[in-house]
Amino acid sequence: MHDGGYQKVGLRGVRISVRVLLANVAILTAILSVTIVAAMAMAAGISGKSSERLAYFYSLESVERFNSYMVRDLALVQRVANSEPISEWFADEGDPDKAAAAHREMADCLGLLSRGELYLGVCASLSEYRVGPETPAEGLAPRSSLYRYDPDNLWYYEFLDSGNAHEYKLGIDKVSLEWGIYINHKVFRGDEVVGVIRVSLPIEGLMGEVFERYDDEAVKGYVIDGGGAVQLDSSLRDDYKVAVRRTVGDRHADPAVDGFLADYLSGLDGYFGRGLQPIIMGLSGGGFDYVSIGPIEGSDWSVVTFFNNRSLFGISDLLPLIFAIVVALVICAAANALISRRLVFRPLGDLTASVSEAGGEGAAIRGDERSDEIGVLATTIKSMWSRLYSGNQEIKSIAERLEDALEEARGANLAKSNFLANMSHEIRTPMNAIIGMTAIGSAAADPGQKDHSFRRIGDASHHLLGIINDILDVSKIESGKFELSRAEFEFEAMLRRVVNVVSYKVEEKGQRLTVYVDRDIPGRLVGDDQRLAQVMTNLLGNSQKFTPEGGSIYVNTYHMGIGGGHCDVKVTITDTGIGITKEQQERLFQPFQQADSETSRKFGGTGLGLAICRNIVRMMGGDIWVDSQVGKGSAFSFTVRLGVAEGEAEGPAADTIDWGGLRFLLIGGDERTSSDFRGIVGRFGAPCDLAVDAASALAMVGGVNPYGFVFMDWQSLGTEGAAAVKGIAARTPEGSETLMAIISSTDNSAIASEAKSVGIGTFLMKPLFPSAIREMVGRHLRAEGYVDEGLGEAAAEAVNLEGYRILLAEDNEINREIVLSLLEPTGIGIDCAEDGAVAVRMLAESPGLYDLIFMDMQMPEMDGLMATKAIRSLGTEEARKVPIIAMTANVFREDIERCVAAGMDGHIGKPLDFDEVIARLREHLPAEPSQRR
């Protein structure tokens, strides 16, 4: 059995050997074929490229040699022809002095000419002269006459009739009967041709110069004139006379050559200029492979060169190399067969036989002692179990990595679940307040209880709107649609609005809020004050939320520098809250992240606010960061770069109050309040005295110079407040106007009635702002530029819109009711349309009735955009001019741009803000209602 197995293996080995041998023969044949074809192709390519380039260079060299041979004589002829003595003598041939001067001019050149002779033809007398080195000046006499009908003089008249100043000409001297190359040049006197000068060059020298390197077997050249006639033939160096009046086509019967030369000659227009290069064409038949034409500068002559590959090398030149390659490949194939049998097939057969003979585990495998591939194969077979073990280990490692990835996925899913839970809590909390307070308010009979319910509903609604705005802001940031606006605003007024938003919550928790405004910050800045207020509101709200009852919050603003029309401002909000760990700080400004899940459950929040703040601050050219210690509080800081309003860069506006003549008294108050108040008043330049209690205050008032302003921290005085007010009033001299004001927190309802009972109705709210104190003093003194607090020019004006009529296109009944209720006090007339189509019909039926249209964007049958376009296309003047204001919850910039593109004049976001609605009405309503015109 073993013998049979071995024999079977041996036969397989023989078959493999034969197949390898046949494969080697096939590979050898293929390599030889490819080698021969590649060599032939390379030889043909190299030969063709080289032939083309050599044809080009032969042509270029021939042109240069021709020019170099002719250039000296041409220059001498031009010198003589352009000299004044020559032209004067030609014009006055009989003047001996002019003849002598002309002779001297010619004598200077005769020794330099190739043949040392000049031929002259005078137009006036038709006299022909021949001047040589031995021709005396006084012996200048015509040799013959240029008779027009003499064939020997034909060259003269043909040249005069041409438009060329000079020409090359092949011809026979009529005296010596020798062939030569002539240079003919006209002589001008002004614009008139007065004669011709001619020199002759030996044609033998020109032939040798131009065609010195030409081989008639591989290279053939011709010089042709502008008509295609052959002037010189490289193959006729000894008998060049036969070249005259023949063409290249007479010697090369090739239609391609004829067409090539015909196209070239048809494009001639005068003499060739400088810098022209030869033109080359490949030939597919005949004795040559390429033909080139090189133009001769300053003439209409050209050099034509034919070139073939035989001057280089052909396929036959490669035969020794091909034979050597074939022999080398055959030897390699034979050696490969012998080596393969000895090193591969025989050891492989032994290995196969030992494997088939192996009776069990641990059996000897032949070849495992070898260090080559056969040994590696034998060793691999013996160590199969180790590789299987390695494979099992790898599978285990993959399983562990999969488990880690699964844990990461579970973590991400948990984070998503936590965020959704937080978001659900944040949305449901205000919704629960809205629904619950709506039920309480509906059931309550007491107006006070109803007002309380409405206030709570309003607070919860604004909180819910803030959550929605945060989500929309993040969406805009991630889609790249978040943009900032630029407008002038008062920095301190913006800061007061921000503080007012959170001050009531600060009061509820008994926290202390202090604000510091750097006096160097310009009063009016340029930037997006709404987004800046959003950042400060978010940071201040977080500090209030994470600071325990009785804690402190500090808002400090710093001027970081001004220049180039901008101002850098730094804002730091510090609290004594719970603090943040280093690990929590690293992810604090990422979307959907809070300090930890416990923070979310205890304090609420979506985790979006700080990420939005970071993007806003960076868009304003600044940055945001946090410094915090757990249990000690946090300090959030950010910087922004804002523009400076016109006029602010030169300094603050002049104050109409003479602060130096005022006296201030502060009664009570903690150390921080006292320090803040006295610091602000002192910054204005006014002195301020401090009384720690009512008794001290009563001892300080009165006298000839009473205090003009008395401020009392009512909460710190307690029951002494009313007594202090009465005592101060009793001690104030008659005729003195002393302003007594109460410094209190936001919720002053508890002390308002008590304070008013003793005659005080002026309140200064904490935290203290310089502008609030300035406004209060200005109102008391009735100083120029100061009005009642909270009443600007627009607010002081009564909102009376009686006589105006607007059209409200809104499909939602509740939204229509809100608009009608909001605008009812203004007296404006309102008609309603349930969809866009109804609005278009109402406007078409009553043109000129409506002063303005409020247009909802999403309505059935016809939306706001379609309705606006339909109104604008009605064709009437009223439809074209009536203001149309969009009312929509879509507040992205592209939505606003779509409104403008449709023909709308403005945009109001939902939920509606009464002040914004009134502002749009005042902006777009005409000066007079339509019904009054």
Side-chain angles (χ1 to χ4, degrees):
M1 290 295 295
H2 293 309
D3 292 342
Y6 183 80
Q7 290 296 327
K8 194 175 295 184
V9 171
L11 290 176
R12 272 199 207 115
V14 172
R15 288 199 294 270
I16 293 176
S17 302
V18 173
R19 282 184 294 194
V20 170
L21 180 60
L22 294 177
N24 285 336
V25 172
I27 293 173
L28 176 62
T29 303
I31 292 175
L32 288 176
S33 302
V34 172
T35 302
I36 294 173
V37 172
M40 293 175 63
M42 291 175 61
I46 294 172
S47 179
K49 285 291 183 182
S50 301
S51 299
E52 181 180 2
R53 291 171 183 170
L54 282 174
Y56 174 87
F57 288 119
Y58 265 98
S59 179
L60 190 64
E61 181 186 48
S62 300
V63 170
E64 291 176 350
R65 287 175 176 270
F66 186 95
N67 285 331
S68 65
Y69 186 82
M70 304 288 288
V71 66
R72 186 182 61 179
D73 283 41
L74 176 61
L76 292 172
V77 171
Q78 288 177 334
R79 173 183 168 183
V80 174
N82 294 330
S83 68
E84 185 177 353
I86 296 296
S87 62
E88 291 296 329
W89 177 55
F90 273 38
D92 189 2
E93 191 177 350
D95 190 330
D97 294 332
K98 295 181 178 179
H103 184 272
R104 286 193 299 272
E105 191 72 27
M106 290 183 287
D108 293 338
C109 300
L110 289 174
L112 301 175
L113 293 171
S114 297
R115 283 187 171 174
E117 290 183 334
L118 285 172
Y119 295 89
L120 312 176
V122 181
C123 294
S125 62
L126 295 180
S127 298
E128 181 182 9
Y129 293 85
R130 183 172 183 175
V131 180
E134 299 178 356
T135 303
E138 63 277 3
L140 284 175
R143 190 189 68 171
S144 62
S145 175
L146 294 170
Y147 180 62
R148 174 178 285 274
Y149 299 103
D150 187 347
D152 291 335
N153 299 329
L154 182 61
W155 68 270
Y156 172 79
Y157 291 99
E158 288 179 350
F159 179 48
L160 287 180
D161 293 337
S162 72
N164 303 318
H166 74 275
E167 70 174 1
Y168 296 142
K169 195 73 173 179
L170 179 68
I172 303 176
D173 188 280
K174 61 184 179 181
V175 176
S176 65
L177 299 179
E178 293 181 355
W179 282 85
I181 293 292
Y182 289 93
I183 301 176
N184 300 326
H185 202 292
K186 294 177 182 177
V187 179
F188 293 89
R189 187 170 183 267
D191 295 333
E192 178 185 5
V193 179
V194 296
V196 176
I197 294 181
R198 188 181 203 196
V199 297
S200 173
L201 287 81
I203 196 169
E204 298 89 346
L206 180 60
M207 290 284 287
E209 186 75 20
V210 175
F211 301 122
E212 178 183 9
R213 295 175 54 191
Y214 279 50
D215 176 10
D216 291 343
E217 294 297 326
V219 186
K220 180 168 286 191
Y222 305 94
V223 176
I224 63 174
D225 61 15
V230 175
Q231 304 297 317
L232 301 176
D233 186 338
S234 65
S235 63
L236 302 176
R237 295 184 181 89
D238 299 328
D239 189 14
Y240 45 81
K241 305 177 184 63
V242 299
V244 179
R245 302 301 179 185
R246 300 187 67 181
T247 66
V248 175
D250 297 335
R251 292 160 172 76
H252 299 273
D254 188 342
V257 175
D258 292 341
F260 178 58
L261 293 175
D263 292 340
Y264 174 81
L265 295 173
S266 64
L268 294 183
D269 185 14
Y271 283 2
F272 296 112
R274 301 184 63 181
L276 298 178
Q277 300 298 312
I279 303 173
I280 302 176
M281 183 184 76
L283 301 175
S284 57
F288 296 92
D289 300 294
Y290 294 94
V291 59
S292 67
I293 302 179
I296 297 175
E297 175 189 335
S299 71
D300 60 353
W301 287 21
S302 304
V303 175
V304 180
T305 302
F306 288 85
F307 194 91
N308 61 34
N309 296 341
R310 289 189 296 276
S311 62
L312 301 174
F313 60 89
I315 301 301
S316 59
D317 298 324
L318 298 176
L319 291 179
L321 176 61
I322 295 174
F323 179 76
I325 293 174
V326 171
V327 172
L329 289 176
V330 170
I331 293 175
C332 288
N336 179 61
L338 294 175
I339 294 172
S340 298
R341 178 173 179 80
R342 180 178 180 83
L343 298 181
V344 178
F345 298 122
R346 183 178 295 171
L348 188 60
D350 293 341
L351 174 61
T352 306
S354 65
V355 171
S356 63
E357 293 172 357
E361 185 178 0
I365 301 296
R366 297 173 191 169
D368 61 342
E369 75 284 354
R370 297 169 61 101
S371 59
D372 54 12
E373 289 81 354
I374 301 292
V376 172
L377 178 60
T379 304
T380 301
I381 294 174
K382 290 184 65 175
S383 60
M384 186 65 71
W385 65 269
S386 62
R387 287 194 294 166
L388 291 174
Y389 175 78
S390 298
N392 290 335
Q393 290 296 108
E394 185 176 356
I395 293 173
K396 183 179 180 181
S397 175
I398 294 174
E400 291 176 353
R401 291 198 298 270
L402 289 175
E403 184 66 25
D404 293 340
L406 181 60
E407 287 299 322
E408 291 180 5
R410 288 171 179 167
N413 188 51
L414 180 60
K416 182 183 72 172
S417 300
N418 289 337
F419 170 72
L420 292 177
N422 292 339
M423 187 65 66
S424 175
H425 170 76
E426 286 298 308
I427 294 176
R428 288 176 179 272
T429 298
M431 285 299 299
N432 180 63
I434 293 171
I435 295 171
M437 283 299 168
T438 301
I440 294 173
S442 299
D446 181 24
Q449 183 65 33
K450 287 184 178 290
D451 291 340
H452 173 77
S453 299
F454 288 144
R455 284 195 300 272
R456 292 300 185 184
I457 291 172
D459 292 342
S461 300
H462 282 89
H463 178 63
L464 180 60
L465 181 60
I467 295 172
I468 295 172
N469 287 335
D470 281 350
I471 297 173
L472 293 177
D473 282 345
V474 168
S475 175
K476 287 188 285 185
I477 290 170
E478 293 182 348
S479 63
K481 299 175 181 177
F482 193 90
E483 298 181 4
L484 300 179
S485 62
R486 285 180 61 83
E488 289 190 12
F489 67 95
E490 293 184 4
F491 180 77
E492 191 172 326
M494 179 275 299
L495 192 57
R496 288 172 63 182
R497 292 197 304 270
V498 171
V499 170
N500 289 338
V501 171
V502 299
S503 56
Y504 78 95
K505 293 184 179 179
V506 171
E507 179 63 24
E508 285 180 353
K509 295 179 69 174
Q511 297 165 337
R512 178 177 298 171
L513 174 60
T514 304
V515 178
Y516 168 76
V517 181
D518 194 330
R519 64 181 302 174
D520 292 330
I521 297 177
R524 293 191 62 79
L525 298 173
V526 179
D528 194 331
D529 61 322
Q530 298 296 329
R531 292 300 183 183
L532 183 58
Q534 179 181 351
V535 174
M536 299 182 68
T537 301
N538 188 284
L539 297 179
L540 191 55
N542 285 344
S543 293
Q544 182 276 324
K545 181 166 58 174
F546 295 116
T547 300
E549 294 183 0
S552 298
I553 303 171
Y554 306 94
V555 179
N556 297 315
T557 62
Y558 304 98
H559 180 263
M560 304 301 293
I562 190 170
H566 64 261
C567 172
D568 292 331
V569 177
K570 176 183 176 183
V571 178
T572 299
I573 299 177
T574 308
D575 61 59
T576 57
I578 61 176
I580 309 170
T581 66
K582 289 292 184 183
E583 295 76 15
Q584 293 166 350
Q585 293 177 33
E586 293 178 357
R587 61 176 184 272
L588 197 59
F589 295 101
Q590 300 298 323
F592 314 115
Q593 296 287 339
Q594 288 185 318
D596 53 31
S597 58
E598 180 63 27
T599 301
S600 301
R601 289 191 294 270
K602 184 175 181 180
F603 296 99
T606 62
L608 303 177
L610 290 178
I612 296 170
C613 291
R614 182 189 60 177
N615 281 276
I616 293 175
V617 166
R618 289 182 175 177
M619 292 178 69
M620 291 186 175
D623 202 357
I624 187 170
W625 65 94
V626 62
D627 297 310
S628 181
Q629 291 185 9
V630 177
K632 294 185 178 181
S634 304
F636 282 85
S637 302
F638 69 89
T639 59
V640 290
R641 173 162 291 185
L642 303 169
V644 180
E646 185 176 356
E648 291 289 341
E650 296 99 14
D655 202 330
T656 58
I657 301 174
D658 181 14
W659 292 93
L662 304 179
R663 296 186 67 200
F664 286 80
L665 175 62
L666 175 63
I667 306 173
D670 55 44
E671 182 179 352
R672 184 74 182 185
T673 301
S674 302
S675 175
D676 290 347
F677 184 85
R678 297 181 73 186
I680 294 173
V681 173
R683 205 186 308 173
F684 290 143
C688 180
D689 295 330
L690 176 64
V692 296
D693 52 29
S696 301
L698 293 175
M700 299 170 66
V701 299
V704 295
N705 187 17
Y707 290 100
F709 299 89
V710 178
F711 288 84
M712 290 171 283
D713 191 323
W714 196 270
Q715 289 171 310
S716 65
L717 292 176
T719 58
E720 297 181 0
V725 173
K726 295 176 181 178
I728 293 171
R731 287 169 173 76
T732 302
E734 273 189 47
S736 299
E737 293 187 9
T738 299
L739 172 67
M740 285 190 288
I742 289 178
I743 300 176
S744 67
S745 60
T746 303
D747 188 7
N748 57 14
S749 58
I751 62 175
S753 59
E754 183 181 0
K756 289 180 180 179
S757 67
V758 295
I760 298 181
T762 304
F763 294 87
L764 183 64
M765 305 302 174
K766 295 181 183 179
L768 302 178
F769 284 92
S771 58
I773 297 176
R774 184 192 293 112
E775 290 172 3
M776 185 174 293
V777 173
R779 287 197 307 275
H780 179 70
L781 298 177
R782 297 176 178 84
E784 181 181 353
Y786 295 94
V787 297
D788 289 342
E789 182 178 8
L791 291 179
E793 181 181 345
E797 179 183 330
V799 182
N800 184 0
L801 302 177
E802 291 185 4
Y804 290 96
R805 179 163 294 277
I806 65 174
L807 175 61
L808 173 62
E810 171 64 67
D811 64 310
N812 189 283
E813 182 179 357
I814 295 178
N815 290 338
R816 292 198 300 269
E817 183 178 351
I818 291 174
V819 175
L820 291 172
S821 299
L822 284 175
L823 297 181
E824 183 179 4
T826 67
I828 193 170
I830 303 177
D831 292 338
C832 296
E834 290 76 14
D835 60 56
V838 175
V840 174
R841 186 174 66 250
M842 292 175 65
L843 192 70
E845 294 173 352
S846 303
L849 176 62
Y850 300 107
D851 300 290
L852 183 141
I853 301 175
F854 281 134
M855 182 73 70
D856 183 31
M857 296 300 294
Q858 295 183 354
M859 295 182 290
E861 188 175 346
M862 180 182 289
D863 61 21
L865 294 177
M866 296 175 60
T868 300
K869 294 177 181 178
I871 291 173
R872 296 303 189 203
S873 62
L874 288 176
T876 63
E877 185 72 11
E878 293 81 359
R880 188 175 62 85
K881 291 185 176 181
V882 61
I884 302 177
I885 308 299
M887 299 179 69
T888 175
N890 296 332
V891 293
F892 289 141
R893 180 172 295 275
E894 60 268 22
D895 298 315
I896 299 175
E897 291 174 352
R898 288 173 60 202
C899 296
V900 175
M904 295 186 178
D905 301 281
H907 176 277
I908 297 177
K910 294 180 181 179
L912 298 177
D913 181 86
F914 177 75
D915 293 334
E916 185 179 7
V917 173
I918 295 300
R920 290 293 178 271
L921 289 172
R922 284 178 170 167
E923 178 182 357
H924 294 285
L925 284 176
E928 292 291 334
S930 301
Q931 296 167 321
R932 297 179 186 174
R933 292 197 295 269

